mmCIF file of all heavy atoms in Angstrom:
data_model
loop_
_atom_site.group_PDB
_atom_site.id
_atom_site.type_symbol
_atom_site.label_atom_id
_atom_site.label_comp_id
_atom_site.label_asym_id
_atom_site.label_seq_id
_atom_site.Cartn_x
_atom_site.Cartn_y
_atom_site.Cartn_z
ATOM 1 N N ILE A 748 -13.627 -87.892 -44.947
ATOM 2 C CA ILE A 748 -14.037 -86.532 -45.328
ATOM 3 C C ILE A 748 -12.968 -85.537 -44.867
ATOM 4 O O ILE A 748 -12.610 -85.510 -43.684
ATOM 5 C CB ILE A 748 -15.389 -86.179 -44.698
ATOM 6 C CG1 ILE A 748 -16.507 -86.989 -45.355
ATOM 7 C CG2 ILE A 748 -15.684 -84.703 -44.848
ATOM 8 C CD1 ILE A 748 -17.871 -86.702 -44.800
ATOM 9 N N PRO A 749 -12.479 -84.700 -45.772
ATOM 10 C CA PRO A 749 -11.494 -83.683 -45.360
ATOM 11 C C PRO A 749 -12.186 -82.521 -44.661
ATOM 12 O O PRO A 749 -13.416 -82.420 -44.663
ATOM 13 C CB PRO A 749 -10.894 -83.229 -46.692
ATOM 14 C CG PRO A 749 -12.017 -83.422 -47.666
ATOM 15 C CD PRO A 749 -12.763 -84.645 -47.200
ATOM 16 N N GLN A 750 -11.425 -81.650 -44.049
ATOM 17 C CA GLN A 750 -11.996 -80.430 -43.473
ATOM 18 C C GLN A 750 -12.526 -79.547 -44.603
ATOM 19 O O GLN A 750 -11.958 -79.478 -45.678
ATOM 20 C CB GLN A 750 -10.935 -79.671 -42.674
ATOM 21 C CG GLN A 750 -10.515 -80.396 -41.412
ATOM 22 C CD GLN A 750 -9.643 -79.531 -40.508
ATOM 23 O OE1 GLN A 750 -9.063 -78.554 -40.959
ATOM 24 N NE2 GLN A 750 -9.569 -79.887 -39.244
ATOM 25 N N ILE A 751 -13.663 -78.890 -44.328
ATOM 26 C CA ILE A 751 -14.271 -78.023 -45.344
ATOM 27 C C ILE A 751 -14.251 -76.586 -44.859
ATOM 28 O O ILE A 751 -14.147 -76.312 -43.667
ATOM 29 C CB ILE A 751 -15.717 -78.452 -45.654
ATOM 30 C CG1 ILE A 751 -16.630 -78.189 -44.437
ATOM 31 C CG2 ILE A 751 -15.777 -79.903 -46.064
ATOM 32 C CD1 ILE A 751 -18.105 -78.339 -44.755
ATOM 33 N N GLN A 752 -14.335 -75.659 -45.830
ATOM 34 C CA GLN A 752 -14.377 -74.236 -45.495
ATOM 35 C C GLN A 752 -15.816 -73.860 -45.133
ATOM 36 O O GLN A 752 -16.747 -74.128 -45.901
ATOM 37 C CB GLN A 752 -13.886 -73.393 -46.677
ATOM 38 C CG GLN A 752 -12.424 -73.586 -47.002
ATOM 39 C CD GLN A 752 -11.993 -72.748 -48.195
ATOM 40 O OE1 GLN A 752 -12.820 -72.234 -48.930
ATOM 41 N NE2 GLN A 752 -10.683 -72.626 -48.378
ATOM 42 N N CYS A 753 -15.982 -73.238 -43.966
ATOM 43 C CA CYS A 753 -17.342 -72.914 -43.515
ATOM 44 C C CYS A 753 -17.281 -71.945 -42.350
ATOM 45 O O CYS A 753 -16.208 -71.529 -41.914
ATOM 46 C CB CYS A 753 -18.077 -74.187 -43.085
ATOM 47 S SG CYS A 753 -17.292 -74.994 -41.671
ATOM 48 N N PHE A 754 -18.484 -71.588 -41.860
ATOM 49 C CA PHE A 754 -18.614 -70.878 -40.587
ATOM 50 C C PHE A 754 -18.970 -71.950 -39.544
ATOM 51 O O PHE A 754 -20.142 -72.309 -39.400
ATOM 52 C CB PHE A 754 -19.721 -69.819 -40.662
ATOM 53 C CG PHE A 754 -19.448 -68.726 -41.664
ATOM 54 C CD1 PHE A 754 -20.057 -68.729 -42.901
ATOM 55 C CD2 PHE A 754 -18.577 -67.709 -41.347
ATOM 56 C CE1 PHE A 754 -19.802 -67.727 -43.820
ATOM 57 C CE2 PHE A 754 -18.320 -66.694 -42.264
ATOM 58 C CZ PHE A 754 -18.927 -66.699 -43.500
ATOM 59 N N PRO A 755 -18.014 -72.505 -38.826
ATOM 60 C CA PRO A 755 -18.258 -73.685 -37.975
ATOM 61 C C PRO A 755 -19.333 -73.462 -36.922
ATOM 62 O O PRO A 755 -20.155 -74.340 -36.673
ATOM 63 C CB PRO A 755 -16.893 -73.934 -37.321
ATOM 64 C CG PRO A 755 -15.905 -73.281 -38.213
ATOM 65 C CD PRO A 755 -16.593 -72.091 -38.800
ATOM 66 N N GLY A 756 -19.331 -72.292 -36.289
ATOM 67 C CA GLY A 756 -20.325 -72.035 -35.243
ATOM 68 C C GLY A 756 -21.742 -72.105 -35.776
ATOM 69 O O GLY A 756 -22.648 -72.633 -35.132
ATOM 70 N N GLN A 757 -21.957 -71.557 -37.003
ATOM 71 C CA GLN A 757 -23.297 -71.566 -37.582
ATOM 72 C C GLN A 757 -23.713 -72.981 -37.991
ATOM 73 O O GLN A 757 -24.869 -73.375 -37.826
ATOM 74 C CB GLN A 757 -23.343 -70.620 -38.783
ATOM 75 C CG GLN A 757 -23.152 -69.161 -38.392
ATOM 76 C CD GLN A 757 -23.314 -68.221 -39.574
ATOM 77 O OE1 GLN A 757 -23.791 -68.626 -40.619
ATOM 78 N NE2 GLN A 757 -22.916 -66.978 -39.389
ATOM 79 N N LEU A 758 -22.770 -73.775 -38.525
ATOM 80 C CA LEU A 758 -23.112 -75.157 -38.868
ATOM 81 C C LEU A 758 -23.428 -75.968 -37.614
ATOM 82 O O LEU A 758 -24.309 -76.822 -37.618
ATOM 83 C CB LEU A 758 -21.963 -75.811 -39.639
ATOM 84 C CG LEU A 758 -21.813 -75.389 -41.103
ATOM 85 C CD1 LEU A 758 -20.716 -76.198 -41.778
ATOM 86 C CD2 LEU A 758 -23.117 -75.530 -41.881
ATOM 87 N N ASN A 759 -22.720 -75.695 -36.525
ATOM 88 C CA ASN A 759 -23.051 -76.355 -35.252
ATOM 89 C C ASN A 759 -24.491 -76.072 -34.860
ATOM 90 O O ASN A 759 -25.222 -76.940 -34.373
ATOM 91 C CB ASN A 759 -22.117 -75.866 -34.142
ATOM 92 C CG ASN A 759 -20.770 -76.557 -34.192
ATOM 93 O OD1 ASN A 759 -20.620 -77.581 -34.847
ATOM 94 N ND2 ASN A 759 -19.779 -76.000 -33.520
ATOM 95 N N GLN A 760 -24.908 -74.803 -35.070
ATOM 96 C CA GLN A 760 -26.290 -74.420 -34.747
ATOM 97 C C GLN A 760 -27.279 -75.217 -35.602
ATOM 98 O O GLN A 760 -28.310 -75.671 -35.123
ATOM 99 C CB GLN A 760 -26.483 -72.921 -34.968
ATOM 100 C CG GLN A 760 -27.866 -72.418 -34.553
ATOM 101 C CD GLN A 760 -28.022 -70.915 -34.767
ATOM 102 O OE1 GLN A 760 -27.097 -70.248 -35.181
ATOM 103 N NE2 GLN A 760 -29.208 -70.427 -34.493
ATOM 104 N N VAL A 761 -26.950 -75.407 -36.886
ATOM 105 C CA VAL A 761 -27.813 -76.190 -37.782
ATOM 106 C C VAL A 761 -27.937 -77.624 -37.277
ATOM 107 O O VAL A 761 -29.032 -78.183 -37.180
ATOM 108 C CB VAL A 761 -27.257 -76.176 -39.224
ATOM 109 C CG1 VAL A 761 -28.045 -77.151 -40.110
ATOM 110 C CG2 VAL A 761 -27.318 -74.784 -39.804
#
Side-chain angles (χ1 to χ4, degrees):
I748 290 180
Q750 291 190 340
I751 68 169
Q752 294 179 346
C753 63
F754 297 101
Q757 294 185 13
L758 284 185
N759 280 344
Q760 184 179 358
V761 172

